[in-house]
Amino acid sequence: MPPKFKRRLDDLERRELLTAGTSSDEEGSARGRPGLPRRDDKAVKKVQQQLDDVVDIMHKNIERVVDRGEKLEDLQDKSEDLADSAAAFRTQARRIQRQMWWKRCRMRLLLGAIITVIILIILVPIVVKQLQSSGD
């Protein structure tokens, strides 16, 4: 957003403003007021140059403030996006953690069932053999 007071005066407008209210035949008066000494053109130009410099500096400062505001807005947008991404990551991490927990539970149950079957395969023939030998 550009500054609202960007208008600059050209040399003709400056001269008109500086000479407004004065006339060339009014010697000894400044800005049309009698009794005051006429100001030197060099002094007026020097003051005008200083004023122009200050105005330029102020324009630059305003532009910097506007740029800083835009950068702050960009930074705020990025931080909001980062917060949204963090929330999505947290949700997905919890979902994956639950999936892995159930997977571990299924593996433990399957491992327990396999161990039980192996133990039964080993013990059943032994028990059957002892029952047959004790029954003879």
Side-chain angles (χ1 to χ4, degrees):
M1 184 170 128
K4 292 181 180 176
F5 19 160
K6 190 67 176 173
R7 185 171 186 271
R8 297 197 44 137
L9 300 175
D10 61 2
D11 289 334
L12 181 64
E13 288 175 319
R14 284 184 193 153
R15 282 189 217 130
E16 287 176 3
L17 288 174
L18 289 174
T19 59
T22 62
S23 65
S24 61
D25 59 355
E26 289 186 45
E27 292 185 23
S29 67
R31 295 189 184 208
R33 288 180 266 164
L36 294 176
R38 183 178 174 101
R39 295 207 173 132
D40 190 34
D41 285 338
K42 290 181 184 180
V44 171
K45 287 180 182 179
K46 181 180 177 183
V47 170
Q48 185 63 39
Q49 181 62 39
Q50 289 174 345
L51 181 64
D52 291 342
D53 292 344
V54 169
V55 169
D56 288 339
I57 290 170
M58 290 306 296
H59 283 297
K60 289 176 185 176
N61 288 342
I62 290 171
E63 288 174 11
R64 288 179 187 154
V65 167
V66 169
D67 290 342
R68 182 176 177 252
E70 290 172 358
K71 288 178 183 178
L72 287 174
E73 289 174 2
D74 291 343
L75 186 60
Q76 184 177 3
D77 291 342
K78 288 179 183 180
S79 68
E80 288 173 359
D81 291 343
L82 186 60
D84 292 341
S85 297
F89 175 78
R90 190 177 307 115
T91 303
Q92 187 176 4
R94 285 183 191 145
R95 184 178 53 82
I96 291 173
Q97 186 179 16
R98 286 186 197 116
Q99 287 176 348
M100 295 305 293
W101 184 81
W102 280 110
K103 191 173 185 177
R104 281 193 308 267
C105 285
R106 285 192 300 255
M107 289 301 288
R108 288 178 185 161
L109 286 173
L110 183 62
L111 184 63
I114 290 173
I115 291 174
T116 304
V117 168
I118 290 174
I119 291 174
L120 286 176
I121 289 174
I122 294 173
L123 290 179
V124 167
I126 295 173
V127 171
V128 168
K129 193 173 189 182
Q130 286 205 355
L131 286 176
Q132 286 177 353
S133 43
S134 64
D136 285 332

